[in-house]
Amino acid sequence: MTILIVLLCILFLIILVSAFRVNAFIAFLIVSITAGILLGIPLNKVTASVEKGIGDVLGSLVVIITVGAMLGKLVAQSGAAQRIASSMMNLCGEKYIQWGVVTTGFLVGIPLFYGIGFVLMVPLIFSIVYKYKLPVIYIGLPMLAALSVTHGFLPPHPSPSALVVQFKANMGLTLLYGLIVAVPAIIIGGPLFSRTLKAIPSKPLASFVPADMPEEELPGAFNSFFTALLPVLLLIGATVFTLSENQNPSVANFFAFAGSPTIAMLVALFVATFSLGVFQGKKMVDIMNIYGEAIKDVAMILLIIGGSGALKQVLVDSGVSGQIALLLKDMDMQPLFLGWLIAAIIRFCVGSATVAGLTTAGIILPLMVSSNTDPNLMVLAIGAGSLMFSHVNDSGFWMFKEYFNLTMKDTFKSWAVMESIVGIVGLIGVLLLNQII
């Protein structure tokens, strides 16, 4: 009955948004409250659950998305995006540009959380698309597939890192196996699958349309790349430092502060204000106007993402994930496949890859120990399952839809299918590794 209620609520949300054209944020509020009541959350706690969900997801994303939008718009308006696009095209050529962006997404995705990597890489995708008149999904989806796979499979991302600890796996070995599994998942779900999507119409956010400027007026290549990727460099630097031994506590605290996504984004925006703004002859008031326009462009995206967080929290607070896990834990299946399946179903119902992974861990741990299953492979199996079935209760689904300005139908055809492909290929890779090892 619980699963039926969840399915009906998800269907209700899709109908509200697609058929009745209700604003997605309002639709999320209606469905979240309805789901909370039907799933048995006390009436006096339903709104608290909705508010907590909105607060949790926006608390971690609002600065990143707004400051990222400001940075992206300045990169576009200053001509830096045009310089980056032409440099990448000269390096890779149009024939191999997909592989250039997917490699960039993979390298960026290893140290960065998914939301941060998404916000930072979208302007780069759009600059290439607009400059060379290429299909948007064809170029953009491979990079986002790489970001998604690193988020689900590889430490230091939250879910795989936590699973390594809970399962007493080896972090280095998990990372090595994860890389072996991740590469084919990215290739199949990214460059190969996106070739079937060239006809999908997409007119991305105007905020990131790069200004077409004369070559002599563009910022230098180093300035353009360095400024656009500075948040990535700061976060990578902080991550590398935390891995070193014999750290001075005060220095470690400084790097923990400087390497937080919020501080990294603010530092990058400060640098960009001068390197791509003031030093390029722009007045401060004009730069601030650019930033103001950028916030208007992403305001509705923030609300929709907040709404997806509300639905996720209602489903978590109602105990849906635990009930699903209890239904499945006694099934007679190969442990790696069972771990993948439980994570996949929880992901479908709850929407969060991290919640799916961590919930599955507690259920599958006794079976994993009794069956002597390789803990490193179990981390990857659950990670692959946690990427499955991304749809309307996943904030990533809405970020992709709104940034790329797609219909619901085309978002399902592209984003949702891509996430399921990488989840299935990941499972196949884990099962093959299990046979070899």
Side-chain angles (χ1 to χ4, degrees):
M1 188 64 187
T2 298
I3 296 176
L4 179 61
I5 291 171
V6 172
L7 292 175
L8 289 174
C9 287
I10 290 169
L11 180 62
F12 183 35
L13 178 64
I14 294 171
I15 291 172
L16 283 176
V17 175
S18 300
F20 294 102
R21 304 296 179 185
V22 176
N23 176 277
F25 176 64
I26 296 173
F28 264 119
L29 293 181
I30 294 170
V31 173
S32 298
I33 293 169
T34 304
I37 295 169
L38 293 176
L39 290 169
I41 296 177
L43 287 177
N44 63 335
K45 294 183 179 179
V46 171
T47 54
S49 185
V50 168
E51 290 164 4
K52 182 179 186 302
I54 293 173
D56 285 353
V57 72
L58 289 184
S60 62
L61 284 177
V62 68
V63 174
I64 295 165
I65 289 178
T66 53
V67 176
M70 294 177 190
L71 179 62
K73 193 169 183 73
L74 183 60
V75 166
Q77 295 291 329
S78 66
Q82 186 176 334
R83 175 69 75 187
I84 291 170
S86 58
S87 298
M88 284 196 68
M89 191 60 75
N90 290 337
L91 180 66
C92 301
E94 183 173 340
K95 184 177 180 181
Y96 299 107
I97 191 64
Q98 262 197 327
W99 299 101
V101 295
V102 81
T103 302
T104 304
F106 184 65
L107 295 176
V108 165
I110 291 174
L112 296 189
F113 290 166
Y114 177 81
I116 305 165
F118 185 104
V119 171
L120 292 177
M121 293 298 104
V122 159
L124 178 60
I125 293 168
F126 292 170
S127 65
I128 294 170
V129 164
Y130 279 108
K131 174 69 176 175
Y132 296 100
K133 307 295 188 293
L134 297 170
V136 181
I137 306 302
Y138 172 73
I139 297 298
L141 200 66
M143 179 180 281
L144 300 179
L147 290 176
S148 185
V149 168
T150 56
H151 171 71
F153 289 9
L154 305 180
H157 289 275
S159 182
S161 297
L163 293 177
V164 165
V165 173
Q166 289 191 42
F167 293 161
K168 294 182 173 56
N170 180 289
M171 186 75 76
L173 201 54
T174 300
L175 185 58
L176 176 62
Y177 291 164
L179 291 171
I180 294 172
V181 172
V183 171
I186 291 169
I187 291 172
I188 295 171
L192 296 184
F193 172 60
S194 67
R195 290 177 186 177
T196 67
L197 306 173
K198 289 184 178 182
I200 288 182
S202 170
K203 190 175 181 181
L205 276 180
S207 176
F208 300 117
V209 179
D212 196 7
M213 301 166 60
E215 190 75 15
E216 62 274 8
E217 294 181 16
L218 299 178
F222 175 80
N223 183 15
S224 300
F225 274 99
F226 177 77
T227 304
L229 297 179
L230 181 56
V232 179
L233 299 175
L234 291 173
L235 290 162
I236 290 175
T239 302
V240 170
F241 179 82
T242 59
L243 299 176
S244 63
E245 298 178 358
N246 302 319
Q247 299 175 13
N248 182 295
S250 59
V251 177
N253 288 337
F254 170 78
F255 273 95
F257 169 76
S260 70
T262 296
I263 298 302
M265 293 298 296
L266 287 172
V267 169
L269 187 68
F270 177 80
V271 171
T273 300
F274 289 92
S275 64
L276 297 179
V278 175
F279 297 159
Q280 300 296 321
K282 287 183 170 60
K283 295 179 181 178
M284 187 62 75
V285 66
D286 295 329
I287 298 170
M288 292 303 119
N289 286 336
I290 291 173
Y291 293 165
E293 290 297 318
I295 293 175
K296 294 177 186 177
D297 291 330
V298 297
M300 185 50 66
I301 293 175
L302 280 172
L303 288 175
I304 292 170
I305 291 170
S308 71
L311 181 57
K312 182 215 75 172
Q313 191 63 42
V314 164
L315 295 176
V316 170
D317 290 348
S318 68
V320 167
S321 57
Q323 292 181 47
I324 293 166
L326 288 172
L327 287 171
L328 295 173
K329 74 172 186 176
D330 295 326
M331 296 180 72
D332 185 20
M333 293 183 181
Q334 209 278 356
L336 290 172
F337 178 76
L338 183 59
W340 177 88
L341 180 63
I342 293 173
I345 295 176
I346 294 174
R347 155 73 159 185
F348 175 81
C349 293
V350 176
S352 167
T354 302
V355 170
L358 298 180
T359 303
T360 304
I363 299 300
I364 206 71
L365 182 58
L367 176 62
M368 189 192 76
V369 173
S370 64
S371 61
N372 294 317
T373 304
D374 188 314
N376 305 291
L377 293 181
M378 184 60 81
V379 171
L380 299 178
I382 293 174
S386 73
L387 296 179
M388 291 292 294
F389 307 130
S390 172
H391 59 96
V392 293
N393 60 356
D394 175 22
S395 60
F397 177 95
W398 291 98
M399 287 175 72
F400 183 76
K401 178 188 181 301
E402 296 300 322
Y403 271 87
F404 285 77
N405 200 17
L406 296 171
T407 64
M408 289 281 285
K409 178 182 176 182
D410 287 337
T411 309
F412 276 109
K413 284 171 58 178
S414 54
W415 172 263
V417 174
M418 178 275 288
E419 287 280 84
S420 294
I421 287 173
V422 298
I424 292 169
V425 174
L427 171 66
I428 293 171
V430 168
L431 295 177
L432 288 175
L433 270 179
N434 187 52
Q435 294 297 317
I436 296 170
I437 296 169

